[in-house]
Amino acid sequence: MKNLFITDLDGTLTKKSLVLGHAGFLIEEGIMTDTGIYQAWKEDMKNEKLIVALAEEYRHQIKGKTVKELQVADFVADFLADDKNWYSTLEMLTTAKNFGDDVILITGSSDFLVCELAEQLGFDWYATKYHLDKTGKLNGEITGMFSETQKSEVIEKYIDLHLYNEVIGLGDTSSDYGIFKHCNFNYLVDPTQETLERLILKGCKIDKIIKK
């Protein structure tokens, strides 16, 4: 039987958020305006308040635009090509995929970005859905994939774990316990001490910690 890898994206495969990277790209292209939050986040990328604020700014500013206007394919191609954006976990998963294992992304990043990225990598995916209005423009509403519960529900509802020999989880925050609790081998990527302590309190089994 083949193995299954279930992985988060931001902070687990990528060293920075795909959505926030796209925000920077859109600012450079003149499609978004930097109100000061993006520059502040660049100087303090682990600041959760800035991460949330910039994600909200992104969601607000892309409202009323089509996905085509956001130049998704160009951004994802550039993001993939830049080795500085990726942890070694990407190579591990692409190798596993090449050997016939399955890889599923479960991530809070936006569906239109994740779809493009996953298509190029050959991975399956579940992500935050950014809703469109009847004319095909983003309407500012989302259905999130951020929490432990949301990630766990996707696995329980859509993924048959019995089809696999080993189920391996990868994540970097305490919300990824929603992935870890379904897996029999877990990688925790560059965690903060707070994340590590929270997962230990939950009784999470961590088999390997990957540092930068």
Side-chain angles (χ1 to χ4, degrees):
M1 291 176 70
K2 59 186 175 181
N3 298 323
L4 171 65
F5 293 80
I6 306 175
T7 181
D8 177 48
L9 179 62
D10 301 334
T12 300
L13 300 187
T14 67
K15 294 180 181 179
K16 65 181 181 182
S17 161
L18 189 67
V19 164
L20 303 192
H22 190 223
F25 172 85
L26 294 179
I27 288 168
E28 290 177 1
E29 294 295 314
I31 298 169
M32 270 183 63
T33 301
D34 183 10
T35 61
I37 298 173
Y38 178 71
Q39 188 57 44
W41 169 74
K42 282 183 68 177
E43 295 169 2
D44 188 9
M45 289 190 175
K46 287 285 187 178
N47 188 314
E48 291 190 13
K49 289 183 179 178
L50 291 173
I51 290 170
V52 172
L54 183 53
E56 283 298 295
E57 185 74 25
Y58 172 84
R59 182 166 67 93
H60 173 73
Q61 289 204 36
I62 64 174
K63 180 179 177 180
K65 294 180 171 58
T66 65
V67 171
K68 185 176 181 180
E69 289 177 286
L70 301 181
Q71 302 179 33
V72 170
D74 289 342
F75 165 72
V76 169
D78 289 346
F79 196 92
L80 265 172
D82 189 347
D83 291 339
K84 292 183 293 185
N85 290 331
W86 300 93
Y87 285 110
S88 60
T89 47
L90 177 66
E91 183 178 358
M92 178 178 75
L93 294 187
T94 52
T95 299
K97 182 68 178 178
N98 289 338
F99 276 93
D101 291 327
D102 288 342
V103 180
I104 297 176
L105 294 171
I106 300 181
T107 170
S109 279
S110 57
D111 56 349
F112 52 84
L113 294 175
V114 176
C115 179
E116 181 72 27
L117 180 66
E119 186 173 303
Q120 295 198 39
L121 294 173
F123 298 167
D124 292 325
W125 61 275
Y126 299 91
T128 295
K129 182 174 179 58
Y130 279 62
H131 296 280
L132 306 174
D133 65 20
K134 293 180 180 179
T135 67
K137 295 179 179 179
L138 292 152
N139 67 10
E141 297 190 8
I142 62 173
T143 300
M145 186 63 65
F146 307 116
S147 72
E148 170 190 322
T149 300
Q150 290 164 334
K151 293 178 180 182
S152 181
E153 284 178 348
V154 164
I155 295 171
E156 291 170 352
K157 186 173 182 179
Y158 298 108
I159 301 169
D160 187 352
L161 301 178
H162 297 97
L163 296 176
Y164 300 96
N165 180 42
E166 298 282 349
V167 181
I168 300 100
L170 293 88
D172 73 305
T173 67
S174 56
S175 70
D176 293 321
Y177 182 62
I179 294 173
F180 290 146
K181 69 181 184 180
H182 297 286
C183 303
N184 49 25
F185 193 93
N186 293 318
Y187 290 88
L188 185 60
V189 181
D190 200 23
T192 65
Q193 186 61 33
E194 182 182 9
T195 290
L196 188 56
E197 290 171 358
R198 285 182 179 178
L199 288 170
I200 290 171
L201 282 173
K202 290 176 180 288
C204 182
K205 181 175 74 77
I206 301 298
D207 298 284
K208 185 172 182 180
I209 295 177
I210 298 174
K211 293 288 189 179
K212 283 184 179 178

